[in-house]
């Protein structure tokens, strides 16, 4: 009997040792997983951080907004974790929305991007967007839509291939990399609340070394995405006497240097479907009009970008092997304004 008692005691002690590693486990229904974080600056010294947190009410289709103010973002995230009733897990954040007043301040924005990138709590693959309105109002508008659900904003940016070719998706690590790039600037999507939709896409803000230099409309941003992904599928163009949709595309870029002057030969091939046309309009007229329209849009954008010394198409990336490394820092000031681009468009009607 004594031996059996000793065995039971030993088994109980071993069980206690094995179970001790789980004493601080937090059940998943006792955790909060913010999907979106909104960041604004209330005044010169004070930041405001708002969390968009899905809840389990009404079949998991609702979210709530929790906001806190403080002198820096990291301390506010800590305060929110302390004050919210359940554990807060920031690793699932999918989108950071920055209010434009903060985004337009180069120093504040650069510091924020560096923090977001270096933070071990936030994923560097989270998307970044800029808004021109109050972030709490934006979150409230989302919750007020009867058709919205917890991932509506995330779904907005990931409609799938060819469904929204003008919408940029820019991640934290890409913006961080652009802060130090000599040869590439980056576009960050700008969104506001929609009257009948979750969001309205307003275009993109062009970021050059942490400073917003210009804003481009959705149509212009299609070109930026085209040169980034070499894909124009899904673009719809109104030609006046007809409208078309691009069903397939390819873009070939060939860089070269001629006595220190950069030259790019760019050939864009488009396969299109004609959605509608006015009576009497021929295929040749549509092809010619589309080629001229694309070329005009491109050269108008390039001319404006060169005057701003902002390489929105990322042409500098193609010359990194042709310009000495110590000269790359002069790309925007010395090489880019003299860049010549021969942009050719070839249209095939399917």
């Amino acid at each position: 009997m004594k031996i059996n008692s000793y065995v039971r005691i030993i088994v109980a002690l071993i069980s206690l040792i094995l179970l001790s590693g789980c004493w601080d486990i937090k059940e998943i229904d006792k955790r909060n997983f913010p999907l979106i974080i909104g960041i604004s600056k209330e005044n010169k010294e004070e930041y405001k951080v708002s969390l968009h947190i899905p809840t389990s009410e009404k079949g998991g289709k609702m979210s709530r907004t929790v906001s806190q103010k403080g002198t820096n973002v990291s301390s506010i995230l800590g305060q929110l974790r302390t004050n919210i009733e359940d554990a807060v897990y920031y690793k699932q954040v999918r989108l950071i929305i920055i209010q434009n007043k903060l985004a337009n301040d180069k120093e504040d924005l650069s510091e924020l991007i560096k923090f977001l990138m270096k933070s071990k709590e936030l994923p560097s693959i989270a998307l970044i967007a800029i808004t021109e309105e109050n972030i709490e109002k934006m979150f409230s508008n989302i919750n007020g839509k009867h058709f919205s659900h917890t991932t509506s904003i995330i779904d907005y940016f990931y409609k799938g291939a060819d469904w929204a070719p003008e919408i940029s998706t820019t991640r934290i690590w890409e913006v961080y990399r652009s802060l130090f790039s000599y040869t590439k600037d980056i576009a960050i999507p700008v969104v506001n609340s929609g009257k009948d939709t979750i969001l309205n896409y307003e275009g993109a803000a062009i970021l050059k070394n942490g400073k917003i230099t210009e804003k481009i409309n959705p149509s212009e941003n299609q070109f930026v995405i085209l040169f980034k992904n070499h894909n124009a599928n899904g673009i719809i163009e109104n030609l006046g006497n007809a409208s078309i949709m691009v069903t397939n595309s390819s873009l070939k870029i060939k860089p070269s240097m001629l006595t220190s002057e950069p030259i790019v030969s760019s050939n864009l091939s488009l396969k299109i479907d004609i959605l509608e046309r006015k009576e009497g309009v021929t295929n040749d007229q549509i092809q010619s009009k589309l080629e001229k329209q694309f070329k005009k849009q491109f050269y108008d954008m390039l001319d404006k970008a060169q005057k701003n010394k902002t390489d929105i198409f990322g042409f500098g990336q193609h010359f990194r092997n042709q310009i000495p490394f110590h000269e790359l820092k002069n790309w925007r000031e010395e090489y880019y304004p003299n860049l010549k681009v021969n942009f050719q468009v070839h249209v095939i009607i399917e």
Side-chain angles (χ1 to χ4, degrees):
M1 290 296 290
K2 279 189 175 179
I3 293 175
N4 288 339
S5 298
Y6 289 145
V7 170
R8 290 193 188 99
I9 293 171
I10 291 171
V11 171
L13 290 172
I14 291 173
S15 300
L16 286 173
I17 292 171
L18 293 175
L19 290 172
S20 63
C22 304
W23 69 271
D24 61 346
I25 288 293
K26 196 75 175 176
E27 297 296 333
I28 195 166
D29 62 341
K30 296 296 182 185
R31 294 186 182 190
N32 285 289
F33 295 93
L35 291 181
I36 309 164
I37 294 180
I39 304 173
S40 59
K41 199 160 186 183
E42 299 295 290
N43 52 54
K44 191 174 181 180
E45 302 294 336
E46 195 173 50
Y47 289 87
K48 187 175 186 179
V49 175
S50 300
L51 305 183
H52 192 257
I53 306 173
T55 66
S56 58
E57 297 175 19
K58 296 186 180 180
K61 291 188 176 182
M62 297 298 291
S63 301
R64 68 167 176 159
T65 301
V66 182
S67 298
Q68 187 98 33
K69 294 180 181 179
T71 54
N72 60 66
V73 175
S74 60
S75 67
I76 299 173
L77 292 175
Q79 291 169 31
L80 286 164
R81 193 193 299 110
T82 300
N83 294 333
I84 293 176
E85 54 280 6
D86 289 323
V88 180
Y89 191 69
Y90 293 119
K91 283 288 184 183
Q92 295 299 318
V93 170
R94 290 292 176 266
L95 176 65
I96 307 284
I97 296 181
I98 303 172
Q99 211 271 334
N100 69 333
K101 184 179 176 183
L102 169 58
N104 284 325
D105 188 304
K106 179 182 178 181
E107 186 177 341
D108 286 343
L109 181 62
S110 297
E111 286 184 8
L112 175 61
I113 297 301
K114 289 173 184 175
F115 162 72
L116 295 175
M117 183 66 191
K118 294 176 181 177
S119 170
K120 294 181 180 178
E121 292 189 293
L122 297 166
S124 61
I125 60 171
L127 301 180
I128 282 189
I130 293 172
T131 185
E132 296 165 342
E133 66 179 346
N134 180 282
I135 288 176
E136 287 180 311
K137 180 184 174 185
M138 170 186 279
F139 288 175
S140 174
N141 179 67
I142 295 166
N143 289 336
K145 297 287 190 298
H146 72 277
F147 54 83
S148 69
H149 51 80
T150 54
T151 60
S152 291
I153 287 188
I154 310 302
D155 295 340
Y156 180 87
F157 287 95
Y158 291 107
K159 292 183 172 64
D162 308 344
W163 285 101
E166 64 273 70
I167 295 183
S168 302
T169 53
T170 307
R171 302 179 185 280
I172 290 175
W173 68 266
E174 291 177 302
V175 181
Y176 178 78
R177 183 183 62 180
S178 77
L179 298 180
F180 308 98
S181 175
Y182 294 137
T183 54
K184 182 177 174 57
D185 299 313
I186 198 164
I188 300 178
V190 178
V191 292
N192 290 320
S193 295
K195 181 181 177 184
D196 300 315
T197 59
I198 295 292
L199 295 173
N200 264 355
Y201 183 64
E202 307 289 345
I206 304 301
L207 200 67
K208 172 185 172 183
N209 290 138
K211 181 180 180 181
I212 293 177
T213 57
E214 61 180 301
K215 182 182 169 184
I216 57 177
N217 62 42
S219 179
E220 293 173 322
N221 198 40
Q222 290 180 152
F223 272 95
V224 175
I225 297 172
L226 168 63
F227 278 84
K228 180 181 178 182
N229 299 331
H230 294 191
N231 189 343
N233 299 7
I235 289 178
I236 295 177
E237 283 286 314
N238 180 5
L239 305 176
N241 54 10
S243 61
I244 64 93
M245 183 173 73
V246 177
T247 57
N248 203 350
S249 69
S250 66
L251 178 67
K252 294 180 179 178
I253 296 174
K254 185 179 179 181
S256 60
M257 292 290 288
L258 181 63
T259 59
S260 300
E261 185 176 271
I263 300 172
V264 167
S265 295
S266 176
N267 286 287
L268 173 64
S269 296
L270 300 173
K271 289 184 179 180
I272 64 168
D273 271 346
I274 299 174
L275 302 178
E276 58 179 344
R277 72 172 92 189
K278 291 184 178 178
E279 188 175 350
V281 177
T282 66
N283 286 353
D284 288 343
Q285 289 174 319
I286 292 174
Q287 285 175 309
S288 177
K289 184 77 178 288
L290 182 60
E291 289 172 359
K292 288 179 181 176
Q293 187 160 305
F294 263 59
K295 290 178 75 170
K296 183 178 186 309
Q297 288 177 348
F298 170 77
Y299 282 118
D300 284 348
M301 288 183 64
L302 179 64
D303 182 57
K304 186 178 176 183
Q306 285 184 301
K307 287 177 180 174
N308 290 336
K309 299 178 181 177
T310 306
D311 192 356
I312 57 176
F313 295 109
F315 284 125
Q317 295 291 92
H318 299 283
F319 291 92
R320 294 185 67 86
N321 294 328
Q322 300 188 43
I323 297 175
F325 181 76
H326 68 277
E327 283 286 320
L328 283 176
K329 62 184 177 183
N330 300 320
W331 166 255
R332 292 188 184 91
E333 297 295 326
E334 296 182 9
Y335 291 92
Y336 182 57
N338 298 317
L339 172 71
K340 306 295 182 189
V341 181
N342 180 18
F343 183 59
Q344 296 298 323
V345 182
H346 312 282
V347 175
I348 301 171
I349 299 176
E350 292 190 313

